[in-house]
Amino acid sequence: MNNIRQGNKQLIKELNRALVINTILNYGPLSRTRIAELTDLNLSTISNIVSDLISKELIHETGEGKSKGGRKPILLEFNSNEKSVLGIKIGLDGIVVGLLNLKSKILDKKFVPCPIKQEEKSILEFLSKAIQALLRKNKTKLEEIVGCGIGISGLVNQKEGYLVFSPILQWKKVRFREILEEKFKFPVFIDKDVNTLALAEKRFGAGKNINHFICITIGKGVGAGVVINGEIYYGGYGGAGDFGHITIEKDGPRCYCGKNGCLEIFSSDQFIINRMKEFLAKKDSQEIKNFFSAKKDLTLLSAQEILELATKGEILSQSIFRELGENLAWGIMNLISLFDPELILIGGDGAKAGELIFNPIRGKIKEYFPFKPELKILPTQTGEDGWITGAAELVLQEVFKTPIFKPKKEVVLKSAFHW
């Protein structure tokens, strides 16, 4: 562990400062006395740190607390609106650019359609205009932005900050960090969108206080963010969690990735659409026939329309979602055997089918893992905003990281503890 800083007075000073900042950030507003109780630091140390943080406008006094006798305590709160963060979700359905404060509150967001099948220059020009429009609308200066986090569908090189390839978007080698940092002069972080959702669930959702869990997303594609010991697991090359491309049927249909029988073939939106087309061809259900009678072009059939029919109680369409749930369960069982998680979360548009898919998944897990009754299978809790909240977390986890590790050769982002 040669990346751990050597213990000295400066490190202790920075650790104390970090402890006070994180305590106020997560539990404020708090009095100086309460901070001392929570941190086990003495009041004189707290007072010195607080005075410095107030002078640098990182925290501010926000009124008086209840008195237990004597003077009322002055409460301290983190100045979360002093600076802002950008959180961006890029997917086939569109791009959402969010402006958040330092406590992850979404101040504003902007949706724009996604330019699929485009080259790097066009993509980044399009994204830059969306960022500029949001900042202009909120009268936010570039120097007020701490950094930008981006979650995107595809294979990502997190260390170098670029998208390697996204089969869904049909993008190749997009240098988000290099180009956007040069243009905007703030740090840029990029990761797979499912990892950013896992980060949001870890901090604000069902994964809070859980060290080992897996966040699965289903919809147009299938992916997984794996959390081990409270951290996203990336593997040796950053590609861990490519859940949709594990093989569950070796002689199955060919996937766009080149392999046969990938899980995604049997558990994505396209599976739902393909099954419905089979039912339409067989004309097994008059209710299905009536529902889609006005739809002449079946290539425009959507999973959302089929879900609408299933929620109305149509039996065959409901069977499609149950079958999808069973297919997904086979993949999840592999994850359970490999990682032994405490919790499985399922999100994305496909999870809107609710118990139609959750019931068969839970049934299979209970059947094959009867000795793990405490293992929970739950929907994600952070909703649609979880994508941009998690993307912003790529920045905020660096801003508020405890300063125990040596800085990398190139310091991308200055920690809040050194502001």
Side-chain angles (χ1 to χ4, degrees):
M1 296 292 286
N2 58 4
N3 63 331
I4 301 291
R5 292 172 60 187
Q6 186 175 357
N8 52 41
K9 288 183 178 180
Q10 180 60 32
L11 176 58
I12 292 171
K13 184 178 179 180
E14 290 179 22
L15 288 173
N16 288 343
R17 182 182 172 89
L19 187 57
V20 171
I21 289 176
N22 276 323
T23 301
I24 298 172
L25 175 68
N26 292 309
Y27 303 106
L30 295 168
S31 68
R32 289 167 176 80
T33 302
R34 183 58 180 151
I35 296 169
E37 291 171 354
L38 291 172
T39 62
D40 283 331
L41 297 175
N42 62 56
L43 267 174
S44 62
T45 299
I46 297 292
S47 294
N48 289 335
I49 294 172
V50 164
S51 295
D52 182 55
L53 295 177
I54 289 175
S55 70
K56 292 179 177 173
E57 299 184 340
L58 268 175
I59 64 173
H60 62 272
E61 295 180 339
T62 186
E64 297 178 336
K66 293 181 179 179
S67 174
K68 294 180 181 179
R71 294 173 59 186
K72 291 183 179 180
I74 303 298
L75 299 179
L76 301 163
E77 191 168 36
F78 192 79
N79 197 357
S80 55
N81 293 316
E82 180 68 18
K83 295 179 184 292
S84 301
V85 181
L86 289 170
I88 300 174
K89 162 71 165 84
I90 301 177
L92 190 60
D93 293 331
I95 298 173
V96 183
V97 183
L99 181 68
L100 299 88
N101 70 12
L102 294 181
K103 291 188 80 170
S104 299
K105 179 183 177 182
I106 298 173
L107 305 174
D108 196 6
K109 57 186 176 181
K110 179 178 178 64
F111 174 86
V112 290
C114 188
I116 60 172
K117 301 181 184 180
Q118 297 292 316
E119 296 299 317
E120 179 187 70
K121 184 178 179 182
S122 299
I123 294 164
L124 293 175
E125 283 180 355
F126 187 85
L127 182 57
S128 294
K129 288 178 182 178
I131 291 171
Q132 288 169 330
L134 183 65
L135 296 182
R136 195 163 47 243
K137 178 187 173 187
N138 288 274
K139 299 179 181 178
T140 303
K141 299 176 182 178
L142 285 179
E143 54 267 30
E144 294 172 359
I145 300 296
V146 174
C148 172
I150 299 172
I152 188 169
S153 170
L155 178 61
V156 171
N157 185 318
Q158 295 90 357
K159 292 180 180 178
E160 300 297 326
Y162 68 88
L163 173 72
V164 178
F165 175 57
S166 174
I168 288 179
L169 300 173
Q170 298 181 49
W171 293 355
K172 287 184 180 180
K173 190 66 183 294
V174 182
R175 297 167 296 159
F176 286 97
R177 176 178 295 167
E178 180 182 338
I179 306 300
L180 294 179
E181 283 188 355
E182 184 179 345
K183 182 176 183 64
F184 292 107
K185 310 303 180 188
F186 51 60
V188 175
F189 300 84
I190 180 171
D191 205 341
K192 292 194 301 182
D193 53 2
V194 65
N195 285 344
T196 65
L197 185 59
L199 284 174
E201 290 294 323
K202 173 63 184 166
R203 185 167 181 200
F204 303 105
K208 197 171 185 179
N209 301 320
I210 295 184
N211 286 321
H212 308 282
F213 72 91
I214 298 172
C215 180
I216 295 168
T217 54
I218 55 175
K220 290 182 172 61
V222 177
V226 180
V227 176
I228 300 175
N229 290 324
E231 303 286 341
I232 298 290
Y233 176 70
Y234 289 101
Y237 302 96
D242 201 7
F243 180 50
H245 297 285
I246 64 171
T247 300
I248 64 167
E249 189 176 319
K250 68 182 181 65
D251 296 319
R254 193 166 185 82
C255 180
Y256 60 79
C257 75
K259 295 186 295 184
N260 290 81
C262 287
L263 176 63
E264 190 168 299
I265 295 173
F266 302 98
S267 54
S268 66
D269 285 355
Q270 195 57 52
F271 170 81
I272 298 167
I273 293 166
N274 290 343
R275 274 287 186 268
M276 179 53 72
K277 286 180 179 178
E278 291 174 13
F279 287 144
L280 284 168
K282 293 176 183 177
K283 299 180 180 178
D284 288 336
S285 167
Q286 186 62 40
E287 193 173 350
I288 289 177
K289 186 178 178 182
N290 293 341
F291 188 82
F292 293 110
S293 60
K295 204 169 190 71
K296 296 178 181 178
D297 187 357
L298 291 182
T299 61
L300 299 178
L301 199 64
S302 73
Q304 180 58 41
E305 289 174 313
I306 299 166
L307 177 58
E308 183 184 339
L309 183 59
T311 55
K312 291 180 178 179
E314 199 285 315
I315 296 173
L316 288 177
S317 55
Q318 287 184 342
S319 72
I320 296 174
F321 290 96
R322 279 193 285 268
E323 184 182 359
L324 184 150
E326 290 184 1
N327 295 340
L328 193 61
W330 289 110
I332 290 173
M333 285 189 281
N334 288 327
L335 294 179
I336 294 170
S337 296
L338 285 169
F339 296 107
D340 190 26
E342 303 167 70
L343 170 69
I344 299 286
L345 295 174
I346 304 176
D349 286 342
K352 292 176 181 177
E355 295 307 308
L356 286 173
I357 63 167
F358 278 94
N359 280 338
I361 291 171
R362 292 184 182 121
K364 285 288 183 187
I365 302 308
K366 186 176 180 180
E367 178 183 354
Y368 288 95
F369 294 92
F371 49 87
K372 291 188 177 182
E374 69 282 359
L375 174 62
K376 295 179 180 179
I377 315 289
L378 300 173
T380 54
Q381 292 182 353
T382 53
E384 289 298 319
D385 287 339
W387 301 103
I388 57 175
T389 302
E393 192 67 14
L394 294 173
V395 180
L396 293 174
Q397 68 181 359
E398 293 296 321
V399 170
F400 297 110
K401 182 185 289 184
T402 303
I404 195 170
F405 297 102
K406 294 177 182 177
K408 297 175 184 177
K409 290 182 180 179
E410 290 186 18
V411 179
V412 178
L413 179 61
K414 194 173 183 180
S415 165
F417 312 129
H418 296 103
W419 289 353

